[in-house]
Amino acid sequence: MKRLLFLLTVALLAVTALSATTVTRTQADGAYSLTAMYTENAQPGDALFVRLILTPIQKKGSKDAVSASAFEKSTVSIALYEKGLEAGSAKPLRKSAGYLINRGDAAEKKQSDVLLAGIPLSSYLKPGLYTLTVRYEPFGKKAEQLQLPVSIAPKEFVHETIPLDGKNTAIKTDISPERQDQIKRLNAILDTKNKDAVYALEAFVPPTPATRRTSFFADRRIYAYSGGGSSTSLHYGIDYGIPTGSEVRACSGGRVVMAENRVSTGWSVCIEHLPGLYSLYYHMSRLDVATGDMVSQGALLGLSGATGLATGPHLHWEVRLNTEAVSPDFFVSDFTFEQASKARANQ
């Protein structure tokens, strides 16, 4: 007979509401405690993250201690549903497998597995109540499930028409093999989710101290071509209006997975921070890093410019999660709950 004990506490950090749920569960083959921290409140275009801390509970005199090999067998996956549809056969709106960010080690007396999972939210997601289903296997044991409430607040997005001159019209309508190959290669990078790529758990910092934004995340755009005609597009990042030659720095630590000159985005850098999580920097005038470099938060990546499709000097900063563009502003908070987890451990 399973015994379940649920203790719920809520902590507020910056503008993100975090729920920390502590659950003790007893299975036929052993007991463990679970602490789940997750994004409870968000807006369209943000992301949802769940941090799980799994700790085996060994009763006095018990011989059922978790073996060293079992620590690497914990798994987690998450799925988002409209509220009320999670129990049926409805298809989830988003789902994703998670990964270990800290593995327990019996020999070193590190008795907890810590896992993280994140999913992007569409900027077209309707406001309302949702359910985040967390499925996990503690130490390779029978799968369990948590259902966590999520509230999505409304958000207004900018609609704009951008007239393009002949040069920018030619770039926007370029269908050359060179540009198509660049798009294909970048998409392949962003579609890579290496579970060992846990490089940084810190909150992001903006890549420039400048605060003037000339465009915002998920602006709904119409590009008006110089010779007539137009196309619609979604703006995938934030544009900072800064002069050519301004320093551009890494928003977080990670591995440089692209550093090259591209037809549409000019001199560009892409950094892998976590499995499936990347930041991108476009339209630069100079690069100071190369593919394969490891960088720390604040490292100089190069200088801003107006290369590629640009109507003036600026820096385009973009964040991708599981290939989808998400609001960079979301990641300037403690989105992995690294600091929140340390604070709870010190209580």
Side-chain angles (χ1 to χ4, degrees), residues 15 36 124 163 191 195 209 341:
V15 297
Y124 294 98
D191 196 35
K195 292 189 176 182
S341 183

Side-chain angles (χ1 to χ4, degrees), residues 186 189-190 254-260 262 267-273 277-282 284 287 289-293 295 301 318 320:
L186 179 56
I189 290 172
L190 298 176
R255 182 172 68 98
V256 177
V257 291
M258 183 193 74
E260 65 183 38
R262 306 178 71 243
W267 288 103
S268 307
V269 174
C270 179
I271 302 174
E272 179 183 34
H273 303 287
L277 181 63
Y278 298 85
S279 64
L280 301 103
Y281 314 77
Y282 289 163
M284 297 167 66
L287 300 188
V289 293
T291 299
D293 287 353
V295 296
L301 302 179
E318 185 174 317
R320 295 288 191 105

